[in-house]
Each structure stands twice: as C-alpha cells, then as structure tokens.
Amino acid sequence: MDAILSEVQNGVMWITLHRPEKYNSFTEPMALQLQTELARAGSEETVRCVVIRGAGKAFCAGQDLAEVTRRQQDPDYSIADTVRTSYNPTVMAIQNLPKPVIASVQGMAAGAGANLAFCCDLVFASSEAVFLQAFGKIGLIPDSGGTWLLPRLAGRARANALYLLDEKVTAAEALEMGLISRVVDAGQLEEVVRSTAERLASMPTKGFGLYKKAVMMGAGQSLEKQLELEAVLQAEAGKTEDYREGVAAFLEKRMPNFTGQ
C-alpha cells in the first residue's frame, strides 16, 4: 500500500499521508515519496495549489521510531541521517515550492508532523486537532524546522514552553499563538480546505511564488537588502501574464481570469 497518495483536481494537488494504522508516522521511503510529489507539483503547470492531509484519525505522528530503532543497529547510522534525508529536504521543498501549500490537520499532529504542518503556507485545523512537539519525551530536540519556526511564529517564550513542557495544544490555542491560520468545525474541514485551495488555484500563481521567495529570503537579511529584493521580485511579477490580466480587469471593471502564467 502506497504511503503517499496524490491526485490533481481543479488545479489542486491533494497529497495524502497514508499510513493510517501508524497514525501516518514517517518512514524514509514515505518521506522520499512525499518529496517526489512536491517536486511534481512544482514542475506541473496544471498544479497551482497543494494540500497536504492525513488519512484516518491523525494528520501525522512524526517519525516512525521503529524504523530508527532498527537502523540504529548499524554502527554507521546516525539520527542525523534521517533528519537530513527525510525531513530537511521536505521542509525546504514546501518552503521553496512556488505555489501555495495548505496543511489540512484533522487530528493529532506530533513531532515532525506538527512542524511539517507549521511550515506550510496555510494551516487549517479541525476543532478536534491537537499539536504536540513530543521530542523532549525521548530526549531529542525539535527538528523539521521546529527550532526555526516556533520562535518566529509563537515567540521564544511560547516556543520554549511548547518544547520544554511538552503540553498538547488544541487547535484554538494554536490559532491564538499564531501557529495556524484557521480553526474549522470538524465536519466542515474538507469543504473549507477544498474551497480555499481551489480559490488559490485560480489566482496569480507566479506572484504567490515570488511572495514566498521574498518571505524566505527576508528572514535572514537587513531591511535595506529586503527592500531591494522587493524591487527585483516586483519587476519579475510585473512581467507575468497574470499582472497584465489583473490590471486590465481592474481598468475594465471585470473579474480577472488568471492563468498562473
């Protein structure tokens, strides 16, 4: 059974983490398959938005510890191998994908699963969802961008509490902390995510990609350099067909018909 399922509908690629019997915990082959699908989403022009969701009760329980325990029998293996192969490329694939990525979290998101959700552009969570770092319980530090994302999203004090106290965070609490974008009634999550994803898929995709690039690069440079980057990327955006269509539609007082070009 494939651990990652994907389908494209109305410009949206739906990627499903599909190990429901293991709460969609990651193995290395599963992570590599996810990276392949994200690469496909980036290269196919028909895909203009991506949704990542989990099958069954959980979004993702993080790393499958049985895999790590088995691999640690090899004296040449290091947990860093799993982090570098499974998680680091996945986080960067989501962040660098020049299209919006939505995490649809219907249940538990723990460890790497929580941080992979947080690194998406939008996080929609069911009112029944819970988030948990879980790393401290086994003597590890947050990975999958956790030490970079959490202080920036929630502030250092809350990030420290999320890791050190290791408390479950409800969807409502995660929204209040700035970790997620929206809380939706459990029975309406798929409908709301689908509606939002299809709306994003009808909007100026290349402009969204340039926005994501600006935000990522801005995390590590001065205001002066960021202002110049904005000028450069704005010039790129101004050359797109979607910009021309957007201006024409505004002047003609009609709805724009963006093509993502």
Side-chain angles (χ1 to χ4, degrees), residues 155-178:
R156 183 174 177 179
R158 281 175 162 169
N160 289 348
L162 288 170
Y163 169 62
L164 296 173
L165 301 180
D166 202 35
E167 297 175 345
K168 287 184 179 179
V169 174
T170 67
E173 290 169 335
L175 179 65
E176 191 273 330
M177 291 181 188

Side-chain angles (χ1 to χ4, degrees), residues 47 50 55 65 86 97 164 173 177 179 190 229 252 259:
V47 176
V50 174
L65 293 178
S86 292
L97 189 72
L164 296 173
E173 290 169 335
M177 291 181 188
L179 293 169
E190 182 174 349
L229 176 65
E252 296 166 14
T259 61

Side-chain angles (χ1 to χ4, degrees), residues 37-116:
E37 292 304 317
L38 290 168
R40 185 164 74 90
S43 64
E44 293 189 4
E45 291 187 358
T46 56
V47 176
R48 295 171 63 186
C49 182
V50 174
V51 175
I52 301 176
R53 60 184 175 179
K57 297 180 179 180
F59 175 73
C60 178
Q63 172 63 34
D64 186 326
L65 293 178
E67 179 188 60
V68 170
T69 300
R70 183 173 62 254
R71 294 187 67 184
Q72 284 180 319
Q73 296 174 11
D74 179 353
D76 294 327
Y77 169 78
S78 166
I79 292 179
D81 299 335
T82 293
V83 174
R84 291 181 178 127
T85 302
S86 292
Y87 299 113
N88 292 358
T90 302
V91 169
M92 294 310 300
I94 293 171
Q95 290 286 294
N96 290 330
L97 189 72
K99 301 168 185 182
V101 182
I102 302 174
S104 178
V105 182
Q106 84 284 24
M108 177 180 61
N115 293 338
L116 284 174

Side-chain angles (χ1 to χ4, degrees), residues 227-243:
L227 291 171
E228 176 57 26
L229 176 65
E230 288 178 353
V232 171
L233 296 181
Q234 197 73 292
E236 287 190 43
K239 295 176 183 177
T240 64
E241 293 180 15
D242 281 341
Y243 168 71

